[in-house]
């Protein structure tokens, strides 16, 4: 299956800097999906009757969405890529995704949006760690 992420990377006129193309595509897609899931989860939390009990979840969702969106953007810019920066951004993203997943998992039995969000965070965390492991 082709995706816009893959299609765009395929049009890049220069070498991608030795990065594993498939893992890069998977990571960018996971970051974008996680950012959307976290944004939607935070919004759903705001609609819950017990919103006061979900403030940490809302904040963590918002932080994770921002970090995932920034990571996708950094990974999409391949010109002049510095592996040290890429690795640092990926590590930060994996960390915040793990924290967000843990928080959402605390509420997953009561709120399906938290379950879905936690799953997206875990996928993104794995994709970031897979890409980190493949970097030279």
């Amino acid at each position: 299956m082709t995706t816009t992420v893959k299609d765009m990377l395929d049009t890049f006129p220069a070498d991608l800097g030795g990065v594993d193309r498939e893992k890069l595509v998977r990571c960018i897609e996971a970051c974008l999906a996680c950012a959307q899931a976290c944004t939607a989860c935070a919004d759903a939390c705001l609609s819950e009757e017990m919103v006061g009990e979900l403030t940490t979840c809302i904040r963590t969702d918002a932080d994770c969405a921002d970090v995932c969106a920034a990571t996708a953007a950094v990974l999409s810019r391949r010109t002049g890529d510095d592996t040290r920066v890429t690795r640092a951004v990926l590590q930060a993203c994996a960390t915040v995704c793990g924290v967000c997943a843990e928080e959402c998992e605390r509420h997953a039995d009561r709120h399906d949006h938290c379950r879905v969000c936690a799953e997206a965070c875990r996928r993104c965390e794995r994709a970031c760690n897979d890409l980190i492991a493949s970097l030279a």
Side-chain angles (χ1 to χ4, degrees):
M1 176 170 114
T2 68
T3 64
T4 302
V5 172
K6 181 182 180 320
D7 290 345
M8 286 305 298
L9 288 174
D10 286 346
T11 67
F12 193 73
D15 177 52
L16 292 178
V19 68
D20 182 309
R21 185 180 296 263
E22 185 177 311
K23 288 181 181 183
L24 179 62
V25 168
R26 198 166 39 245
C27 191
I28 293 170
E29 289 174 344
C31 286
L32 294 171
C34 191
Q36 187 280 328
C38 288
T39 299
C41 186
D43 187 60
C45 285
L46 289 169
S47 295
E48 293 290 350
E49 287 182 24
M50 54 191 278
V51 68
E53 297 175 26
L54 296 169
T55 56
T56 301
C57 191
I58 295 164
R59 167 60 190 266
T60 306
D61 282 338
D63 289 346
C64 192
D66 289 346
V67 171
C68 287
T71 301
V74 168
L75 293 177
S76 295
R77 294 189 291 265
R78 304 309 310 156
T79 302
D81 177 58
D82 186 319
T83 303
R84 296 170 299 174
V85 172
T86 300
R87 185 174 277 115
V89 169
L90 286 166
Q91 185 59 58
C93 191
T95 299
V96 75
C97 284
V99 169
C100 192
E102 287 172 9
E103 179 60 29
C104 281
E105 287 164 355
R106 292 180 56 230
H107 310 285
D109 60 333
R110 293 183 308 272
H111 307 293
D112 280 340
H113 54 85
C114 286
R115 178 187 51 77
V116 171
C117 187
E119 291 167 359
C121 288
R122 292 294 183 201
R123 279 191 301 275
C124 190
E125 179 183 27
R126 281 190 302 274
C128 288
N129 286 327
D130 288 348
L131 187 54
I132 290 169
S134 74
L135 296 175

